Amino acid sequence: MAGLSGMSGGGWPEDCVALPQLDEATLLESVCQRYSRGEIYTYIAQVLLAVNPCQDLPSLYGQGKMARYSGRPSPGARPSPHPYALASAALRGLRRGEGQAVVISGESGAGKTETAKIILAYLQANAGGSGGAPEAGLGSSEGGVERDVLAMGRVLESFGNARTARNGNSSRFGKLLRLRLRAGAQHGVGELAAQTTIYLLETSRVAGRAPGERSFHVFYELLAGLSYEGRTSLGLAAAASGHTLARISDASPSGAGNPGLEAEERRRDIERFGELRASLSGLGLKAEDETGIWEVLAAILHLGDAIPSEEDQPPEEARGDAPFVVSERSLGWAARMLGLDVDALRKVLTKKRIAIKGRRSFYEVDRTRPQAEALLRGLVVTMYGRLFKRLVASMNVAVGAGVAASAGARSGTPPAATELALLDIYGFESLATNSLEQLLINLTNERLQQLFSERCLLSEQALYQREGLTYQPVGVEDRSGAMQAVARVLDVLDDMGQQRWRGLRDATDSRFCDAALNQAGKVAGSGQKFLFPARLRSRGVARPPPGGACEHASAAFLVAHYAGKVEYSREGWLDRNEGRSSQEVEDLLDASEKKFVRGLAEQEPAVGSSGAAPRQFRSVSKQHRRDLDALLNCLNATPSVHFIRCFRPNNSQHPCHVEKAYLLEQLRSCGTVQLLQLMHQGYPNRMELREVVERFAPLLPPNLCTGSPRTLAQSLMLALGVPRGDWTLGVSQLFLKAGQLAALEDLRSGSTALDPAAVAAARRAIVLGRWQRAAVAGKCVAHLARLARQIRGAKLRRRLRALLLATRFVARSRCLALRAQARRVVLRRRLRVVFRAAVFVVRARRLARAARAAREVAEAPAREREAVAVPTREVAAGPLPESREVPPELAKVRSQKTVPARAQKDLPEPTAPRRAELWSEAAPQSPGNCRPLPSPARVPASRQQSLADWDEQSSVTVPASLESLASIRRWQELRPRPIEKRARPEDARRRTSENGIVLEQPAKRMRL
């Protein structure tokens, strides 16, 4: 065994959980010190940290090293940190029937691909055979499938890896390798099947790349490893620098030719080409298929030279709209390799066919240089992408024997119980020019980081909470906002792609970038926190300043990913997102004379044929997101997931050199610091209480084996003398600090024995604990009894209080009812008194009126005498009318001594002539009997107001016979009534009686 989980030779622990101090500086120093001594692997609990050495370290690998990790670990020992240790643990879990998964993540250039190759090498060495190998039973005795898996990895590395500015062997695709026991395997013995699922190959690298980078390795391996005769037959006799798509000078770090580097790369390419051909042959590839592969690759190189660059064009032809020169040699070799007619290829390249709507005819127009370059780019990208998919499908058939693991990965179905999934996917990227591929790659790493947080951080805290353990929560950054921001950008890109597919000219890359920023700005919250317009570049990392214009014209927007901010360019989005090639490219491939090339065409019905559906837009980003969702669903359904976090020691890929700030930023971004904090205060090792009883109960004395599983686990920890702070009991599990599980394994293996003193102390502790629990139980019972009595007393008191309150309420209610009844009686009495008083007042008023009337009747003689004594005054001269008969009205008045007021009111009002007539009739006939009315001075005061109402000009002849009281009363009854309203001037009339007496009534209000 390589050693135990503890301090290494230099004094730094192999598991960072055992560090004496918990901070970032201590973690960084531990990793750097171990790296300086060649120990590039470190544990943080169950997670393996791997720092890329940037050089070969043969001492860390090989058959001898594998043998030390094969089989079950030694009792009481934990394997030293190594990919072999995780591979061995995964194989043991697979043999127990548990689904396993190994996720390798990190930045580009961190060594993920090499780590995956190390795990596959271990699987090849230990997954086959039935003899003395402890891991036997997962493959055939010859290990053929394991060799095929390695051969498949070698082929995928040549066709899918390339050199970038940050990594000399960067995977430009994602790969999920699923190893599964075939049907019929029993007890872990059976034949192993393998399937590979591919995610997002960066096919745009074939048509162009950034300075200082190379295209896929297979082009350089073909040019370097193929013999002269082979290159001549393919038209590739010229050096690689003569081909536009595979120029060695462009691959140097400085962008210029570097003879030493070119020679070293050429030597490696020759070796790799030999390995590639051997791997293809080992996978059962036919000779004609291998020849077809080389011919397609050669055709791609020739098509890259078909249109000379603008530097090689004449000045008048370098313009986009001007005619351009086509290299006949390159065009001829490309047509020969693809089995096409050179004239047909030239016509497709220089002429564009446009269909007439509503007709089956076409007309042709000349292509411009940009249009021809776009067609060539689509052709080479389509051919290489389909060639890669065809190779993967054929290799899956060779090593999988029909097991549909790949379909399961695409659909997101849970892995089988006898399946091991190995994920090797592209790392986080921030290149000089970032476009759609980099955005999708970084989105994938965002999702994988979320998986790591959920499986290692959030799930660990949830377990502590379920088991009732005390822990300090560790904050985990929520990255859902960044993923939503990227999803909104991709949705806008798909909408623009649909518009472009329908022929709208305003669907451009610039408009897409503006629309993506506008869409993100409309959504408040998380999107504005992670998506910004590109402004300035600071210290090599794009950052959004508070204001100002964009410094780089090619920059569009900036996304704040978990590993840093990345600035994305403004060009190439719509072309890269279009997953369906043009109809012209499909027709061109389908017209080939070679069967291998025709197999690269996408078979679709013709547009005019029956049953043919119109070609629809196909989005690369949408397909990648669907595949990514299926991948994450598959990993989430896996019971056991092992994580390997890979790191770059420096940004220049120099061996034996560590940039601490750069390494610390990677440790922070991938969540290892938070994991260390959680595991340092937590318990990285745990075991089910049932498993503790089954494995360790026979090792304890009989007097300690009684009781519940919790008691037995407690007895075991006390007998071993484990400090109380290094273990704890949960609801269903025993939790141990790092290194304490080794003591249990030593006890079980028999290498150590229990100390009798410790056993006696454990026995005493158990007995004491039982007595303490009994005392606590007694106290609890007594407390419960007291509590019950208190509860009963409280209930009784509450009931008595409620009864008292009810009694008081009833008495109070009765008192209020009596008071209300008394108030009603008093109110009725008062109402009765008021009513009687009102009746009394009415009657009193009636009596008063009657008394006043009687008093007036009694005073009538006195008033008559007073009236007789009043002298008369002169009236207008003139004879009075003769004595006549009394009119009926006057007779009626005479017959009544007293006329009631109501009767007087009801009498009709005589008119003025009638009053004069009545007056003349009532007056004596003798003029000598008349005398003037008394003057106002001699009239009593009570009568002056009536006399004052007469006008001075008014005059009446009063007969002498009116001196009596009856005559005066009759005269008063016949006098003019008072006018209630003001008379108008025109109402005053002048009337003359029969005897010539003038009666005048002035037009004003008068009262006698």
Side-chain angles (χ1 to χ4, degrees), residues 307-318 323-326 369:
I307 300 179
S309 61
E310 295 185 359
E311 292 81 3
D312 300 334
Q313 291 274 14
E316 65 275 4
E317 297 175 357
F324 56 92
V325 177
V326 179
R369 179 185 179 89

Side-chain angles (χ1 to χ4, degrees), residues 529-866:
K529 182 180 178 182
F530 299 96
L531 183 63
F532 311 94
R535 299 300 185 190
L536 299 175
R537 188 183 301 273
S538 176
R539 295 184 181 181
V541 180
R543 298 180 185 276
C550 180
E551 183 180 355
H552 304 279
S554 61
F557 55 87
L558 181 144
V559 179
H561 294 286
Y562 76 98
K565 300 180 180 67
V566 179
E567 190 177 69
Y568 293 92
S569 64
R570 187 177 283 270
E571 300 174 354
W573 290 89
L574 297 179
D575 292 337
R576 297 170 188 266
N577 192 43
E578 192 168 311
R580 188 186 295 274
S581 60
S582 64
Q583 187 63 42
E584 296 171 324
V585 172
E586 299 296 341
D587 296 341
L588 195 63
L589 295 176
D590 192 55
S592 175
E593 299 176 354
K594 297 183 178 181
K595 181 180 178 181
F596 188 87
V597 177
R598 287 198 306 272
L600 300 179
E602 199 174 58
Q603 301 297 334
E604 291 184 357
V607 177
S609 61
S610 60
R615 290 167 57 86
Q616 300 294 330
F617 172 72
R618 184 182 299 171
S619 172
V620 174
S621 63
K622 184 174 293 184
Q623 181 62 39
H624 176 72
R625 283 187 284 175
R626 285 197 294 263
D627 295 342
L628 184 58
D629 292 338
L631 172 64
L632 269 297
N633 292 335
C634 178
L635 293 177
N636 285 323
T638 304
S640 180
V641 181
H642 308 272
F643 289 93
I644 301 179
R645 312 291 285 181
C646 299
F647 302 96
R648 296 182 56 172
N650 52 73
N651 202 14
S652 57
Q653 295 290 84
H654 290 310
C656 302
H657 174 64
V658 177
E659 296 178 4
K660 292 187 176 182
Y662 182 70
L663 180 58
L664 180 59
E665 186 65 27
Q666 297 178 69
L667 292 171
R668 289 173 177 171
S669 61
C670 69
T672 54
V673 176
Q674 292 87 343
L675 178 63
L676 176 63
Q677 295 174 354
L678 180 62
M679 290 303 179
H680 184 84
Q681 63 171 328
Y683 303 88
N685 299 324
R686 66 284 313 270
M687 185 182 302
E688 295 287 340
L689 294 178
R690 175 183 52 80
E691 185 179 359
V692 173
V693 174
E694 293 176 356
R695 296 181 61 184
F696 300 101
L699 305 179
L700 294 175
N703 55 1
L704 292 180
C705 295
T706 60
S708 63
R710 292 176 57 86
T711 303
L712 190 143
Q714 183 180 5
S715 303
L716 181 64
M717 293 294 101
L718 295 176
L720 290 176
V722 180
R724 190 63 184 87
D726 292 348
W727 64 277
T728 187
L729 290 173
V731 176
S732 61
Q733 295 184 12
L734 170 65
F735 293 86
L736 301 169
K737 289 287 188 180
Q740 298 301 331
L741 187 60
L744 296 179
E745 296 294 343
D746 291 339
L747 177 63
R748 189 169 179 270
S749 63
S751 58
T752 59
L754 295 176
D755 187 7
V759 173
R763 176 63 181 175
R764 290 193 300 270
I766 294 298
V767 173
L768 180 60
R770 290 177 179 176
W771 279 109
Q772 290 177 350
R773 288 193 295 272
V776 171
K779 293 181 179 180
C780 181
V781 170
H783 176 71
L784 290 177
R786 290 194 302 270
L787 184 61
R789 289 194 298 270
Q790 293 176 2
I791 292 175
R792 287 195 297 269
K795 289 183 178 179
L796 182 59
R797 286 192 296 272
R798 284 196 298 269
R799 291 177 181 177
L800 292 176
R801 189 181 298 108
L803 181 59
L804 179 60
L805 292 176
T807 304
R808 291 181 178 177
F809 176 77
V810 171
R812 183 70 174 176
S813 300
R814 292 180 179 177
C815 181
L816 292 177
L818 293 176
R819 290 182 180 178
Q821 185 177 2
R823 290 195 191 97
R824 287 194 295 271
V825 172
V826 172
L827 181 60
R828 284 195 296 268
R829 291 177 180 176
R830 291 179 179 177
L831 290 176
R832 191 179 297 112
V833 169
V834 170
F835 177 75
R836 291 178 178 178
V839 172
F840 175 79
V841 170
V842 171
R843 291 179 178 178
R845 288 183 178 179
R846 291 178 181 177
L847 292 176
R849 286 196 297 269
R852 189 165 50 252
R855 194 165 49 251
E856 290 178 356
V857 172
E859 295 176 357
R863 286 199 299 269
E864 289 179 358
R865 288 191 298 267
E866 183 180 356

Side-chain angles (χ1 to χ4, degrees), residues 347 351-367 583-584 587 605-609 615:
K347 185 177 181 180
K351 300 291 183 179
K352 181 179 181 180
R353 298 179 63 189
I354 301 177
I356 300 176
K357 187 176 182 180
R359 301 174 57 184
R360 296 186 178 181
S361 58
F362 299 86
Y363 68 94
E364 297 180 348
V365 295
D366 293 335
R367 293 186 187 272
Q583 187 63 42
E584 296 171 324
D587 296 341
V607 177
S609 61
R615 290 167 57 86

Side-chain angles (χ1 to χ4, degrees), residues 12 28 61 136 180 234 251-252 299 346 366 428 441 462 492 540 611 653 666 716-717 721 788 802 857 895 902 910 931:
W12 293 98
L28 178 63
Y61 314 100
R180 180 185 297 181
L234 299 176
S252 60
R346 183 187 303 106
D366 293 335
F428 179 82
I441 287 172
V492 175
Q653 295 290 84
Q666 297 178 69
L716 181 64
M717 293 294 101
V857 172
S895 62
R902 180 176 301 178
R931 60 177 181 180

